[in-house]
Amino acid sequence: MKSTATKPAGERNPQATGPFLSVRDLKVHFSTEDGTVKAVDGLSFDLERGKTLGIVGESGSGKSVTNLTILGLHNPDSTAVEGSITLDGEELNGASEKTLEKLRGNKMSMIFQDA
Ligand SMILES: Nc1ncnc2c1ncn2[C@@H]1O[C@H](COP(=O)(O)OP(=O)(O)O)[C@@H](O)[C@H]1O
Ligand SMILES: [Mg+2]
């Protein structure tokens, strides 16, 4: 019998191979009154399962924007996101708010700098 039960949101995807998080050619551009701000412009990295990845860079280099975009916490009206963000085999760029809500606090979360 085939189970149709929804698996818990935090459960590992047994079909997923490769890195837990993979970011490919990520571009995050904001449209502002003063023009386009290319906050992230072609970023790629992998985070392997069970590993820790530190991202360093000068202030304003796009660290926060990268992570906010992975969580889908950017303003969709003023932000153009290009590239691929896969988490445990699932594409997050273009994923529905419902999908992202299920993943937040389960497979991904953010500790804010000014919490
Ligand atoms: N909502 C936004 N609209 C326009 N520009 C933004 C927005 N959010 C961030 N930026 C700009 O994007 C760049 C990257 O910012 P940020 O990711 O916060 O840098 P970091 O975390 O590395 O210090 C900065 O130039 C910042 O001013
Ligand atoms: Mg920051």
Side-chain angles (χ1 to χ4, degrees):
M1 193 178 79
K2 204 177 164 194
S3 169
T4 53
T6 313
K7 62 179 166 49
E11 196 174 289
R12 182 183 166 167
N13 176 4
Q15 266 119 48
T17 53
F20 181 64
L21 174 67
S22 184
V23 171
R24 282 292 166 276
D25 202 18
L26 182 67
K27 294 179 182 162
V28 187
H29 295 180
F30 298 106
S31 46
T32 73
E33 283 180 2
D34 301 322
T36 304
V37 175
K38 296 182 177 181
V40 179
D41 205 27
L43 176 68
S44 301
F45 65 85
D46 289 330
L47 173 59
E48 302 296 336
R49 291 168 196 279
K51 300 287 184 186
T52 304
L53 176 71
I55 297 177
V56 294
E58 65 190 79
S59 182
S61 61
K63 306 177 298 292
S64 293
V65 168
T66 296
N67 288 289
L68 288 166
T69 305
I70 292 169
L71 273 87
L73 295 175
H74 53 285
N75 177 355
D77 296 333
S78 57
T79 316
V81 180
E82 279 180 35
S84 171
I85 302 164
T86 51
L87 184 80
D88 202 18
E90 188 170 4
E91 177 59 52
L92 301 191
N93 186 12
S96 68
E97 184 54 29
K98 198 176 153 198
T99 298
L100 292 169
E101 263 173 27
K102 276 191 206 156
L103 294 172
R104 287 185 206 120
N106 288 301
K107 285 189 186 177
M108 59 179 182
S109 55
M110 184 161 176
I111 299 164
F112 291 90
Q113 211 165 358
D114 52 0

